[in-house]
């Protein structure tokens, strides 16, 4: 679904307040970007340009930081991020198959968001639950010993039901 590119003013006012508060820190950029992502949910180029003007840092530097750290995203995310662990233990126990099942179930590829903006499919590294491998994390919930398509579909359906 096409994302609305017209952004309302209120979030920019909140971001301006954050910048005022943080800009005198020794290295404020990452903290400002982190809070900007909390406000907007992602970091589109309009937000990066706004920060660039407010703190007088070239847009190229801001873009470089946003694209370097994988916890920053320039694409809107769904309400729930389905994180599949691709750490070694999970990989050995079939994480790639779990990714395929999720791609089929959600109808999207890794890194994409469903058209209803409910789910984003993402990969993470070891979350320290290797004994439960293969593992996926949705919000604060960790699901382990994933095996069947049916089991994974039921988990997804539970999140669809609560929306
Ligand atoms: S490798 Fe997946 S939880 Fe450790």
């Amino acid at each position: 679904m096409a994302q609305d590119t017209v952004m309302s003013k209120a979030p920019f006012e909140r971001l301006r307040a954050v910048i005022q508060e943080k800009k005198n820190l020794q290295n404020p950029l990452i903290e400002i970007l982190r809070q900007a992502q909390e406000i907007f949910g992602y970091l589109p180029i309009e937000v990066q340009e706004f920060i660039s003007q407010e703190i007088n840092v070239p847009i190229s530097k801001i873009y470089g930081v946003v694209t370097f750290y994988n916890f920053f995203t320039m694409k809107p995310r769904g309400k729930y991020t389905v994180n599949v662990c691709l750490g070694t233990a999970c990989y050995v126990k079939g994480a790639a198959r779990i990714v395929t099942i999720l791609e089929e179930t959600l109808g999207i590829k890794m890194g994409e968001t469903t058209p209803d903006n409910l789910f984003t499919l993402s990969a993470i590294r070891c979350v320290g639950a290797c004994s439960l491998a293969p593992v996926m994390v949705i919000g604060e919930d960790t699901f382990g010993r994933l095996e069947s398509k049916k089991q994974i579909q039921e988990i997804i359906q539970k999140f669809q039901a609560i929306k």
Side-chain angles (χ1 to χ4, degrees), residues 56-93:
N56 209 15
V57 167
I59 182 76
S60 56
K61 179 168 179 195
I62 293 178
Y63 182 82
V65 171
V66 169
T67 50
F68 181 79
Y69 292 101
N70 62 9
F71 52 83
F72 291 134
T73 177
M74 289 179 62
K75 288 189 190 162
R77 289 195 163 240
K79 181 174 178 191
Y80 302 110
T81 300
V82 180
N83 289 298
V84 184
C85 177
L86 294 183
T88 307
C90 287
Y91 200 81
V92 168
K93 292 266 186 166

Side-chain angles (χ1 to χ4, degrees), residues 5 7-23 29 32-33 35-37 39-40 42-63 66 74:
T5 52
M7 306 194 113
S8 79
K9 216 174 155 200
F12 283 100
E13 292 308 321
R14 283 174 59 201
L15 179 55
R16 181 172 278 134
V18 165
I19 291 169
Q20 286 308 317
E21 194 192 319
K22 306 286 177 190
K23 73 178 183 188
L29 184 54
I32 290 171
L33 288 170
Q35 294 211 21
Q37 185 160 288
I39 293 170
F40 291 90
Y42 67 119
L43 295 169
I45 208 73
E46 300 95 303
V47 171
Q48 295 179 44
E49 279 167 357
F50 181 84
I51 294 169
S52 164
Q53 284 161 13
E54 291 287 318
I55 63 173
N56 209 15
V57 167
I59 182 76
S60 56
K61 179 168 179 195
I62 293 178
Y63 182 82
V66 169
M74 289 179 62

Side-chain angles (χ1 to χ4, degrees), residues 27-158:
N27 194 354
L29 184 54
I30 290 195
E31 179 57 16
I32 290 171
L33 288 170
R34 194 186 66 74
Q35 294 211 21
Q37 185 160 288
E38 255 181 53
I39 293 170
F40 291 90
Y42 67 119
L43 295 169
I45 208 73
E46 300 95 303
V47 171
Q48 295 179 44
E49 279 167 357
F50 181 84
I51 294 169
S52 164
Q53 284 161 13
E54 291 287 318
I55 63 173
N56 209 15
V57 167
I59 182 76
S60 56
K61 179 168 179 195
I62 293 178
Y63 182 82
V65 171
V66 169
T67 50
F68 181 79
Y69 292 101
N70 62 9
F71 52 83
F72 291 134
T73 177
M74 289 179 62
K75 288 189 190 162
R77 289 195 163 240
K79 181 174 178 191
Y80 302 110
T81 300
V82 180
N83 289 298
V84 184
C85 177
L86 294 183
T88 307
C90 287
Y91 200 81
V92 168
K93 292 266 186 166
R97 197 175 145 264
I98 304 304
V99 171
T100 303
I101 291 173
L102 282 163
E103 286 181 340
E104 285 170 10
T105 302
L106 298 171
I108 55 174
K109 292 284 175 199
M110 181 57 87
E112 292 180 349
T113 297
T114 54
D116 61 1
N117 287 324
L118 203 52
F119 298 103
T120 297
L121 186 55
S122 180
I124 45 172
R125 298 189 182 205
C126 179
V127 291
C130 306
S131 61
L132 301 177
V135 163
M136 70 177 177
V137 179
I138 307 178
E140 307 211 323
D141 299 322
T142 300
F143 301 92
R145 300 203 176 95
L146 299 171
E147 285 173 11
S148 69
K149 188 169 189 173
K150 184 167 174 275
Q151 178 194 16
I152 291 168
Q153 284 175 336
E154 281 173 3
I155 293 167
I156 294 298
Q157 279 161 8
K158 275 190 197 142

